[in-house]
Amino acid sequence: NNEVLVKFQSGRGLIKSVTSKGNADVGELEASQEYMYYTSSRSGAYIFRPHGQAHGIRVGHTLAIAIAQGPLVQQVQYFDDNTHQSTRVLSVPGELSKVVQILTSVTASMNNEVVVRFNTNLGTNHIFYSDNSVDMQKREHSSNKPIPANFYPMNTAASLKTDAKQMTFINRQPMGVASLVHEESKSSLEVMLHRCLSQDDGRGLAQGVHDSSRTQAPLWMIVGTPSETE
């Protein structure tokens, strides 16, 4: 629309980058998106104990991409065996035209924990932010800590930012969030979407998380300067 331009990965229908048309200082921000999963034979309802790093979810046997363009909505839909996503922008007056809506819908195989990761070109020096339902809290990724220790609550929002640019995600329901990839001019943000686990973790549920349903977890992405997106 007149405010944002979303580019997609060729043949995948997943986001590649987002450009703020209204702010030349922000320009195009990389936001290369991928769905991934952690494996575990020790995680339970209350404890996250992955075996190691996340694995990329392979494209299934069935893949379809649908594009819809109209005067009010432009949308790209992505359909895979386990993953569905609708990405849309609105051509309406006001702030909603600056928002990229990402409607995720995923399933999880047994003892898999599914995340969506956004790889960006923001160098954040191992810092990101998520909220505690009251205000945004500074979070710091530590490569010396195990993966679960680098996950934090994301009740309503999380963000990556530099002095001049910021990428913010708003969520509908509380989820876990982490920023595990950091280089000089790169950082990632990943959100936990779904968990399906066979074992009990001994914390009171007395059973695993046997959830084979399709889970929907919408996200709203905003790019801009820190003063615009806070």
Side-chain angles (χ1 to χ4, degrees), residues 8 19 47-48 75 79 130 136 149 182 189 205-206:
F8 292 86
T19 301
I47 297 179
F48 174 42
Q75 176 175 273
F79 301 93
S130 72
M136 296 295 283
H182 287 272
L189 193 81
L205 187 63

Side-chain angles (χ1 to χ4, degrees), residues 131-142:
D131 77 297
N132 62 359
S133 294
V134 178
D135 53 16
M136 296 295 283
Q137 297 286 305
K138 181 180 178 180
R139 315 294 193 183
E140 184 170 2
H141 166 260
S142 174

Side-chain angles (χ1 to χ4, degrees), residues 24-208:
D25 293 332
V26 176
E28 183 176 3
L29 294 183
E30 181 182 340
S32 183
Q33 182 187 7
E34 55 184 331
Y35 284 91
M36 311 183 77
Y37 68 96
Y38 294 92
T39 61
S40 179
S41 58
R42 302 177 299 160
S43 290
Y46 301 102
I47 297 179
F48 174 42
R49 293 173 175 152
H51 288 149
Q53 299 294 327
H55 309 276
I57 295 179
R58 296 181 180 179
V59 177
H61 297 293
T62 302
L63 171 63
I65 299 171
I67 300 173
Q69 295 178 295
L72 296 179
V73 179
Q74 295 193 65
Q75 176 175 273
V76 173
Q77 291 180 288
Y78 168 85
F79 301 93
D80 198 352
D81 290 347
N82 301 312
T83 306
H84 298 171
Q85 177 174 307
S86 296
T87 306
R88 67 174 64 127
V89 295
L90 305 179
S91 298
V92 296
E95 296 299 309
L96 277 177
S97 62
K98 300 178 181 180
V99 179
V100 180
Q101 300 182 16
I102 307 167
L103 309 178
T104 70
S105 177
V106 300
T107 61
S109 300
M110 186 59 71
N111 284 336
N112 284 358
E113 298 168 271
V114 179
V115 299
V116 59
R117 179 180 291 180
F118 295 86
N119 298 295
T120 80
N121 57 349
L122 295 172
T124 64
N125 195 27
H126 296 265
I127 300 297
F128 72 107
Y129 297 83
S130 72
D131 77 297
N132 62 359
S133 294
V134 178
D135 53 16
M136 296 295 283
Q137 297 286 305
K138 181 180 178 180
R139 315 294 193 183
E140 184 170 2
H141 166 260
S142 174
S143 56
N144 296 322
K145 294 180 180 179
I147 290 173
N150 282 296
F151 268 80
Y152 292 87
M154 177 186 180
N155 290 304
T156 59
S159 65
L160 296 167
K161 65 179 179 179
T162 64
D163 291 339
K165 302 177 183 181
Q166 180 165 331
M167 181 179 295
T168 299
F169 294 88
I170 300 172
N171 53 315
R172 183 181 66 184
Q173 64 257 34
M175 296 184 284
V177 64
S179 180
L180 302 179
V181 178
H182 287 272
E183 297 178 16
E184 183 177 354
S185 59
K186 292 184 179 181
S187 62
S188 72
L189 193 81
E190 66 185 65
V191 179
M192 183 71 72
L193 299 178
H194 201 351
R195 308 171 75 226
C196 185
L197 306 164
S198 62
Q199 56 279 332
D200 176 45
D201 57 15
R203 294 301 187 274
L205 187 63
Q207 66 180 40

